[in-house]
Every structure is written in C-alpha cells, then in structure tokens.
Amino acid sequence: MFCTRARALYSQRPMSLGSKLAARTFTIAIDGPAASGKSSTARAVARELGFGYIDSGSIYRCATLLALRQGIAPSDVGQRTDEITDLLSKVKLQIHIQRATSRPSPTMIATGRLAVPAVQILLNDEDVSREIRTPDVNRMVARVASASEVRSAALHIQRSLAQAAESQPTDHRQSDGSSKAIPGGVVMDGRDIGTTVFPNAELKIYLDASAMARAIRRWDELNNQAKEEAAARRLTDNTESANKSEAATPEYHPSVEDIARELEQRDYEDINREHSPLRIAPDAVVIDNTNLTFEQQVYSIADLARERMGLERKHDDM
C-alpha cells in the first residue's frame, strides 16, 4: 500500500552495500511547509529508530521569543537583525526527546495509535516548549527566519546539536531475535534541512498537505494546548474568585480560517525569501499526508531509513 509506493519511489536512488557499511552516521532530513506534521512525524521516526532528534524550527522560534522579550516588533526585525543574531548566538539551547522503549505505553495500547514523543526545549535552562508556539511567535517567526545572519547562527547550532546526537550508536532488533549494531543517527525537521543544512543526508523527505488540512491540525494543537493549560491552572488555583476571573476573560483563539490565511502567508514568505528558501530537494521523497494516517507516514519513513541502512523493513503491511 502506501509503504510500498514510497519504497518504489525511494528505490530509484539505490545505495551500494559498501556505502551502507562505510557510513558512520545516518541523517534523515524532513522538510515541508508550516503545520505539515514535520515535527510530530520526525519525533516519532526518531523514537522508532532510536535516533536523536533536532527540532530545527524551535531554534528560529527561540530567536523570535528572544526578540519579543527585547521588545522588538515584527516591523523592526529588518533593522534589528544584528541584535537578534547576537542574542541567538549566545544562548544555551537544549532539545530533549523521550527515548525509545521496548514496551508500548498504555495510550498506544488503548488507542492503537502511535504516541507522539514529548519534546522539551530549554532556552538558557528555561523550559520554553509552550511559549515558543504562541500566536505572537507564530506571526513573527517567518520574518526572523528570513534574515541571513539569523540563519547562519542557526546553522551552526543545528550542526552542533546533530553532531552530538549522531555520536550515540543504537541496536536494531532483527526478526530472528538477533541484534545488529547500526550507526548513530539523527532526524531533523525544518524547511531547508535537505537543501542547505544537510544536503548530503542519507534520506530526505518532503512532507506536504493542503492549507486547510494544515490549518485544522494547527487549530487542534492550539485548542489542546489551551485545555491543558486551563486544567493546570485549576489544579494550582482553587479559589472561587480566580475561577470567576478566568471565566470572565476567556483566551482568544484564532479560527481555522484565520490560521489557514496565516499559513498561506507563511508559505509565501518561506518560498520567496532570499536565503535558503523552502524548496523540494531533487532527491527527496515527497509525501502528501493530507489523507494519510500518522502511522502510515511514520512507518513508511522509518522503513525507508532501514532499507537504506541495509536493515529489514518492518511495516510492509501498511
């Protein structure tokens, strides 16, 4: 089915056995437009393979958050690029993902779906995982990411994080029960990973989806985040007055249509920016996931990686 079609596409560019065995690390580059599922897919693929994970977009979001905290407005980004670049170059950035486990979680057993591993973004040891995905950051991040100086600083961070992640080898369990050591690897998602950051990546994926499908996903993400934050507030603040105050001042959430318009504007800016624009790498496997399940796209990418490493595929029945 889908895995078989993707396998046929990928097999057009075979790698020799000698190249497979000579590889010391393995890099998977996942690119695509905003809200195409790059981050959740990349995290799940990394967990499936036991690889490290780098959320490339979080670097630009952290730069945007730093700019906002310095009082830099979206209209001032062009004039204050040097300041933003300096802020980004001096930060300590850490990305932590739940490592793969041999036993599925209760959620995975109950729903029959893959669980998206949680990721934590630490900016100077402060957890900003939620703050970098607020509407204010969403509206400004494209302008920050379009600056060549910011992209150069981000490139250094991306490659440093990837080098650290790739230094950890992992074991692959074969169908006969034996274990085969494979090179350490990393999965990185973004918009220019396969074209600029790692142009020689062993596997390049371009994820795409319709603007409306992406808008619905982003709306669901914001809505779920708001519910989690409201539940956390109720646990920490049980006073009746606080509850009344919260009910009197509901948070604003953009509509699906508003989000779709924002995504289309982001697409235009990403595609037309001067430095490292959003492009499909010539040797990338293009996956339109508008009508695909999460499992289909994750397992397909994981099996393409296994095939390139000379390992057994696991999900040809998808």
Side-chain angles (χ1 to χ4, degrees):
M1 297 171 66
F2 174 73
C3 282
T4 304
R5 297 199 299 273
R7 181 181 183 181
L9 281 171
Y10 194 61
S11 63
Q12 294 173 5
R13 293 178 176 271
M15 175 185 273
S16 67
L17 179 60
S19 297
K20 291 175 184 174
L21 297 178
R24 291 182 297 171
T25 60
F26 194 93
T27 302
I28 302 176
I30 300 181
D31 292 307
S36 59
K38 302 184 301 293
S39 179
S40 56
T41 300
R43 278 182 270 164
V45 169
R47 184 171 182 174
E48 171 81 4
L49 296 172
F51 283 5
Y53 166 70
I54 308 298
D55 180 0
S56 178
S58 68
I59 299 173
Y60 296 106
R61 288 179 174 274
C62 284
T64 303
L65 179 60
L66 291 168
L68 287 169
R69 289 179 173 181
Q70 289 296 312
I72 300 176
S75 58
D76 296 332
V77 170
Q79 291 74 36
R80 302 179 68 176
T81 297
D82 290 343
E83 184 178 346
I84 298 172
T85 304
D86 185 59
L87 289 169
L88 180 61
S89 63
K90 293 178 179 178
V91 301
K92 175 185 177 183
L93 182 63
Q94 297 170 278
I95 301 175
H96 299 298
I97 186 175
Q98 293 178 346
R99 303 301 298 177
T101 59
S102 59
R103 297 180 62 185
S105 69
T107 300
M108 295 166 68
I109 295 173
T111 65
R113 284 181 48 82
L114 277 174
V116 179
V119 66
Q120 183 184 49
I121 310 298
L122 298 180
L123 180 62
N124 294 327
D125 296 322
E126 175 192 357
D127 189 344
V128 295
S129 307
R130 292 184 180 277
E131 195 173 356
I132 62 173
R133 300 193 179 278
T134 60
D136 286 343
V137 172
N138 289 342
R139 284 189 287 268
M140 184 167 159
V141 65
R143 296 195 183 194
V144 173
S146 66
S148 60
E149 297 91 340
V150 174
R151 299 197 74 82
S152 294
L155 180 62
H156 175 74
I157 295 173
Q158 288 168 320
R159 289 177 172 169
S160 296
L161 291 173
Q163 184 176 15
E166 289 177 333
S167 65
Q168 302 296 323
T170 187
D171 288 331
H172 175 78
R173 185 69 59 181
Q174 303 278 68
S175 59
D176 61 3
S178 63
S179 181
K180 180 177 181 179
I182 62 175
V186 66
V187 184
M188 183 179 294
D189 68 273
R191 289 169 176 77
D192 63 345
I193 309 305
T195 55
T196 301
V197 182
F198 290 111
N200 296 319
E202 285 77 11
L203 175 57
K204 300 176 186 178
I205 301 293
Y206 187 90
L207 283 183
D208 204 356
S210 69
M212 186 54 65
R214 291 185 285 135
I216 293 172
R217 294 171 188 169
R218 177 60 56 83
W219 187 89
D220 285 339
E221 177 185 339
L222 293 172
N223 190 47
N224 291 333
Q225 179 177 325
K227 290 180 179 178
E228 291 174 3
E229 291 173 349
R233 283 196 299 270
R234 285 193 294 271
L235 289 174
T236 57
D237 193 345
N238 294 319
T239 64
E240 183 177 351
S241 59
N243 290 335
K244 290 181 179 179
S245 175
E246 180 181 328
T249 56
E251 294 185 43
Y252 166 74
H253 298 294
S255 67
V256 172
E257 291 74 16
D258 288 339
I259 295 174
R261 283 190 289 270
E262 287 184 4
L263 290 177
E264 289 172 345
Q265 178 62 31
R266 178 72 193 272
D267 291 346
Y268 177 83
E269 293 173 351
D270 288 338
I271 292 171
N272 292 283
R273 67 181 177 225
E274 181 179 356
H275 303 285
S276 301
L278 175 64
R279 294 284 187 272
I280 302 175
D283 53 346
V285 177
V286 179
I287 299 176
D288 187 321
N289 62 19
T290 300
N291 298 309
L292 295 180
T293 66
F294 186 60
E295 291 84 354
Q296 282 179 317
Q297 60 196 44
V298 169
Y299 289 150
S300 295
I301 295 170
D303 270 352
L304 290 175
R306 290 187 179 100
E307 187 176 64
R308 175 55 65 103
M309 290 185 288
L311 302 174
E312 295 177 341
R313 296 171 61 90
K314 290 188 175 181
H315 303 288
D316 281 334
D317 57 337
M318 288 291 292

